[in-house]
Amino acid sequence: MQSVCFITPNSDTFTNPTLSTMFHYFKDNGITVHLFGPQQMPQCPDNLDNVKCYDCTFKMSFKNPKYWCKQYKAYSIVGEVIKSNNIKNVYAVDPLGLIIGGRVKKYLCKDVKLCYLSFEIFFKEELSGYYLTLKNKEIKYSKLIDSLLVQDDVRKDLLFAENGFTLSDNKVALIPVSPEPIEVKEAVDIHERFGIDKSMKLAVYSGSLGKWCGTDAIIEAFDKGYWPAEYHLVFHTRRPLNEGDAYYNDIMRLANNPEIPFTLHAHPFEAFEDLAAFLKGFDLALALYYPNFDNPYYGKNMQEIGLSSGKFSMYMMLGLPTIVTACKTYNELIKKYKFGAVIEEVKELKDVMNKAYSKEVAERMYKSVLVPHLTEIDKTLCLKN
């Protein structure tokens, strides 16, 4: 049986739609995946019995003697598995994964083909200290890659310019972070579930809390009158807010005021299908991204998030018109697909949310732009090279 190797520094592998799609594709083609990285949360789902997980924690540097034994052991296990299973293709996730995969190719298994799976792009002008060293090593090992996965043309151009890639187009797969299509048999009745007046239209925010993902902007919209009175917002988070948490006071102030059309729903959905049925019950969604320089994930990487937003892709898959913040990719897509609206400032919300949008257009954009292109995995990502 054919096998491949994945190396990741991340613990959320099985919540990444692209990686899940690849694992299922490999399973359907009788290919075993050997996954090296930290303990995964959530764990590998039962239906991916072709994925074998190895708990390995890698460091960027070998300078600290405290980690020498663990590091050498981890790299030795990777090398042994590659050689014993005659693995030809190594898939390295994000900058640290590429550094690890590059070392494996350079020092342990010179004949493997190395594919870089890029979901986060760091920019040298934004970096210092640890992250600047990480970036320099990423650029160094970029010279060893045989193929690349990135989400869209804008992110591809940024990564090529930043890392000095010279790959030909047939070695680059453009695959959005996007779920495979699923059928939602019955949407949740949001009005009934939360006791919202039937006359109100329904908007949803679902995700994390932070300036980068629009929490400040949403609070500002309610406080300054930018929120349209016709819409009730359900603010969904995956975990409960506790007193002392950032945004606790502001969010609870909105949620506890009966005059404000705002409901807090802190609930972790155990199954993707349950989340989809919940989201399907809304009229409109928000996917807001605000770059800042608190860390390299939130700078230019966030500014040009484009088709690396799994949230946006899921909304489109569900036919849920979406309000997004401006970036080059969304600015171009909105010209062809009126999937919702693109805003520059939060004060535009009242105007754009009161316009009519088509769920069918959102679904059409998903089918035309966002469905994962599985043929690209074979054609570009090493398997048949």
Side-chain angles (χ1 to χ4, degrees):
M1 177 180 287
Q2 186 177 354
S3 295
V4 296
C5 170
F6 274 69
I7 299 172
T8 180
N10 307 322
S11 60
D12 58 354
T13 297
F14 297 104
T15 65
N16 183 312
T18 301
L19 296 179
S20 292
T21 296
M22 291 179 73
F23 295 157
H24 281 286
Y25 179 81
F26 289 140
K27 179 180 179 179
D28 293 342
N29 285 273
I31 298 170
T32 299
V33 175
H34 297 270
L35 174 65
F36 296 89
Q39 185 176 0
Q40 297 298 315
M41 293 297 292
Q43 296 179 342
C44 180
D46 293 338
N47 62 353
L48 283 175
D49 54 5
N50 65 314
V51 179
K52 297 182 179 181
C53 296
Y54 302 79
D55 190 357
C56 296
T57 301
F58 297 94
K59 302 288 183 181
M60 175 183 67
S61 173
F62 279 85
K63 291 182 179 179
N64 191 335
K66 183 170 69 172
Y67 300 111
W68 281 355
C69 290
K70 287 185 178 180
Q71 289 288 282
Y72 282 115
K73 182 179 179 181
Y75 279 97
S76 296
I77 293 172
V78 174
E80 290 171 7
V81 170
I82 289 175
K83 291 173 183 176
S84 63
N85 290 277
N86 195 29
I87 290 174
K88 303 298 183 185
N89 303 304
V90 173
Y91 298 85
V93 178
D94 287 335
L96 182 53
L98 176 59
I99 294 168
I100 299 160
R103 288 170 176 162
V104 169
K105 177 168 182 169
K106 185 174 182 178
Y107 299 111
L108 299 176
C109 306
K110 297 182 184 296
D111 294 332
V112 298
K113 292 188 175 179
L114 181 62
C115 176
Y116 185 20
L117 309 181
S118 171
F119 299 101
E120 309 285 356
I121 306 175
F122 295 159
F123 297 86
K124 287 188 73 170
E125 64 185 18
E126 301 176 358
L127 305 176
S128 62
Y130 170 86
Y131 284 107
L132 181 57
T133 303
L134 180 76
K135 184 66 190 183
N136 286 330
K137 290 181 181 293
E138 177 200 1
I139 292 172
K140 171 185 174 181
Y141 287 106
S142 291
K143 298 174 183 177
L144 300 180
I145 72 169
D146 298 283
S147 58
L148 169 70
L149 179 150
V150 69
Q151 291 73 47
D152 56 53
D153 281 316
V154 172
R155 291 180 70 83
K156 170 196 164 186
D157 291 345
L158 289 171
L159 190 59
F160 265 58
E162 194 68 19
N163 285 31
F165 287 139
T166 56
L167 293 171
S168 59
D169 285 345
N170 67 342
K171 298 295 184 182
V172 181
L174 299 179
I175 301 181
V177 175
S178 182
E180 292 189 84
I182 65 168
E183 180 183 357
V184 177
K185 295 182 180 179
E186 185 176 359
V188 173
D189 186 331
I190 302 297
H191 289 100
E192 182 177 334
R193 174 79 172 271
F194 297 105
I196 299 170
D197 190 292
K198 294 283 187 181
S199 66
M200 297 290 286
K201 297 177 183 178
L202 299 169
V204 64
Y205 169 84
S206 181
S208 304
L209 281 80
K211 183 177 181 179
W212 66 270
C213 55
T215 305
D216 292 70
I218 290 170
I219 294 168
E220 182 184 357
F222 282 99
D223 287 348
K224 293 188 176 180
Y226 302 150
W227 188 262
E230 297 83 358
Y231 270 94
H232 191 106
L233 177 68
V234 176
F235 191 96
H236 168 243
T237 64
R238 288 181 284 272
R239 64 175 184 85
L241 273 69
N242 298 311
E243 193 168 355
D245 288 351
Y247 301 105
Y248 175 85
N249 291 335
D250 283 324
I251 294 296
M252 298 311 296
R253 171 173 57 83
L254 296 176
N256 293 331
N257 187 338
E259 301 299 317
I260 296 177
F262 182 101
T263 295
L264 173 63
H265 183 49
H267 177 75
F269 288 96
E270 294 184 4
F272 178 75
E273 291 77 10
D274 294 336
L275 174 61
F278 167 74
L279 294 172
K280 187 77 171 177
F282 290 89
D283 301 301
L284 199 64
L286 303 178
L288 309 177
Y289 298 100
Y290 292 88
N292 60 65
F293 297 97
D294 291 346
N295 70 50
Y297 292 93
Y298 299 160
K300 201 169 183 180
N301 177 58
M302 185 67 61
Q303 181 180 331
E304 295 300 340
I305 190 168
L307 302 189
S308 68
S309 171
K311 178 189 298 187
F312 175 71
S313 298
M314 184 169 186
Y315 293 158
M316 294 298 101
M317 186 267 289
L318 295 171
L320 186 54
T322 301
I323 309 300
V324 299
T325 38
C327 72
K328 291 179 182 178
T329 298
Y330 297 156
N331 290 346
E332 287 302 311
L333 286 172
I334 198 69
K335 295 175 184 177
K336 184 174 182 180
Y337 305 96
K338 302 301 182 183
F339 58 78
V342 177
I343 63 171
E344 296 280 353
E345 300 180 82
V346 69
K347 65 183 181 182
E348 300 172 51
L349 275 180
K350 181 177 285 188
D351 179 51
V352 300
M353 289 179 69
N354 280 323
K355 295 181 179 179
Y357 299 107
S358 167
K359 294 192 174 188
E360 289 73 21
V361 172
E363 290 177 346
R364 185 163 71 248
M365 198 194 88
Y366 169 78
K367 293 175 181 176
S368 299
V369 178
L370 295 168
V371 173
H373 307 294
L374 299 182
T375 55
E376 288 291 309
I377 296 174
D378 259 355
K379 185 177 73 174
T380 307
L381 302 185
C382 299
L383 281 184
K384 293 186 178 178
N385 294 345

